[in-house]
Amino acid sequence: MTTTTTKPGRRWGKFALHYVEMIIAMFVGMFALGQLQSAVGLGVSHTGQPELWYLSMAFNMSVGMAVWMRVRGHRWAPTLEMCAVMFAPAVPLFPLLWLGGIDSGTLMLVSHVVMFPLMLVAMLRRLDEYAGCAH
């Protein structure tokens, strides 16, 4: 009788690799689609329209990550969860921006800093999926 259990180190290695892949896909989407938007005249200023800029950037990151997740065989539920993480930091930050408590640079900095641990939380919630055991 043989079993197909994954060694813990290998499991966490797959998890870490997947996290890095998703970050790369996120940045590819952000830069590639951002350049395309600018090329066709749809670029948005992060100082002039910080809310629209952030939402556009989060969308671009989501597209990159969603494409990669679907290529890797993920179902739509975890894919959409991860896309939601790209938008989640803005929820508490937009009112602070509107009230003058933060500026557009702080919006960008804090949202990106918060985004990475939120990605980890979403991934840990579905550990088997992201550690390579469920797809």
Side-chain angles (χ1 to χ4, degrees), residues 88-128:
V91 173
L93 293 178
F94 279 176
L96 292 174
L97 180 71
W98 299 329
L99 294 172
I102 62 172
D103 61 11
S104 60
T106 304
L107 172 70
M108 181 184 78
L109 177 68
V110 173
S111 64
H112 279 83
V113 168
V114 171
M115 196 178 295
F116 293 106
L118 286 178
M119 286 173 65
L120 277 175
V121 168
M123 289 176 68
L124 287 168
R125 187 171 169 270
R126 296 179 184 271
L127 182 60
D128 285 344

Side-chain angles (χ1 to χ4, degrees), residues 3 22 51 72 89-90 100 119:
T3 60
M22 297 225 312
E51 303 93 339
R72 296 262 288 152
M119 286 173 65

Side-chain angles (χ1 to χ4, degrees), residues 13-110:
K14 285 183 175 184
F15 181 88
L17 177 62
H18 197 82
Y19 181 71
V20 170
E21 287 176 359
M22 297 225 312
I23 291 170
I24 292 168
M26 175 181 78
F27 279 107
V28 167
M30 180 177 69
F31 290 122
L33 293 175
Q35 290 297 318
L36 180 61
Q37 285 173 324
S38 292
V40 297
L42 296 175
V44 180
S45 164
H46 83 278
T47 54
Q49 297 173 298
E51 303 93 339
L52 184 56
W53 168 81
Y54 181 85
L55 294 172
S56 173
M57 181 188 59
F59 175 80
N60 294 344
M61 290 187 291
S62 295
V63 169
M65 206 172 345
V67 167
W68 186 245
M69 288 180 73
R70 296 298 292 172
V71 165
R72 296 262 288 152
H74 289 281
R75 296 170 292 119
W76 277 111
T79 301
L80 294 175
E81 280 176 4
M82 198 56 68
C83 291
V85 167
M86 301 299 102
F87 293 88
V91 173
L93 293 178
F94 279 176
L96 292 174
L97 180 71
W98 299 329
L99 294 172
I102 62 172
D103 61 11
S104 60
T106 304
L107 172 70
M108 181 184 78
L109 177 68
V110 173

